[in-house]
Amino acid sequence: MPRRLDIQMNSFPIAGTFTISRGTKTTADVVTCTIFEEGISGWGECVPYRRYGESIESVIAEIEAARPAIEAGLTREDLQRAMKPGAARNAVDCALWDIEAKLSGKSVASRIGVSVPKPLTTAYTISLGEPETMAAQAREYSHRALLKVKVGTTDDESRIRAVRAAAPDAAIILDANEGWPEETLARHLQIAAEAGITLVEQPLPVGNDALLASIDRPVIVCADESVHHTGDLASLRDRYDAVNIKLDKTGGLTEALAMKREAQRLGFQTMIGCMVGTSLAMAPAVLVAQDADFVDLDGPLLLARDREPGLRYEASLVFPPASELWG
């Protein structure tokens, strides 16, 4: 039976709103790629990201352009050359991993050398808002082991101090999403250190982050928007201590695994992160994250409705995917 490809756009409502320094969203709009072969299907999900020039339409067009090759039996290895890194390739790559696992009867976890995947402590995201609003959110979720707090204004001192006071026992990551001006960088990093912040993510804009190489970094500074795939890593060694690996940036699990190996070889700490998507998007990332330093895979927790079956979340933990979901 010939291979067949199906592409769909799906929309999942966010519980409330999700706000970062670049704006607010109320739905997670995703592209689902399903490959049918020998009566079995494998699927993958991606989240097009406007910051990277992607849209639902552009991602679907990319996958459609690759349809003849995919349906002709394109391998994952060939896919790395046939499509560029990004959301579109991620959906196809993860669908190929899934169907390979189902056709072979061998799980993705076992194929990548993870014999018994374990539950992981994941961050939970606090949206950007006024200090008192953010403090209220932090207080509500202060029982969680790790919070990821969206910042990224010209003056975030009151937000940082309010969130820390509201969640005194939680480890906290600050994510500025390129929002801090150079002139406030040193001050914000010092405030973060005083507040016992664990890590600061992407404080400066891409292409304007050289200052990080020449100032004291009193907390771990992690690249996100500045790093997409393995080829980006070497140039960032002087300015970042960690890198955030997201499958929607790398273009799938295949490249994410290679990127993590190289990042660790170069001495970076690693975070495995996500866009706001469903459990289908998080499932392969949970496997990449098995030996990561930081895990930020809370996308489904931010949704009003997830896929069924979804990932299991319990307290601060995310559990590995069941085969009914993926892999």
Side-chain angles (χ1 to χ4, degrees), residues 21-22 51-52 152 174-180 185 199-209 212 221-227 236 240 249:
S21 61
R22 281 190 290 272
R51 169 65 181 83
Y52 304 140
L174 298 180
D175 186 3
N177 286 114
E178 307 178 89
W180 284 350
L185 176 64
L199 175 148
V200 173
E201 194 175 343
Q202 196 67 44
L204 296 175
V206 173
N208 193 32
D209 55 3
L212 287 166
V221 178
C222 178
D224 182 6
E225 287 88 346
S226 287
V227 62
L236 302 177
Y240 292 101
K249 293 190 301 180

Side-chain angles (χ1 to χ4, degrees), residues 73-95:
L74 182 75
T75 65
R76 282 188 297 100
E77 292 71 22
D78 291 337
L79 178 67
Q80 309 311 303
R81 297 181 288 273
M83 296 181 73
K84 69 180 188 294
R89 193 177 76 185
N90 178 32
V92 178
D93 184 72
C94 290

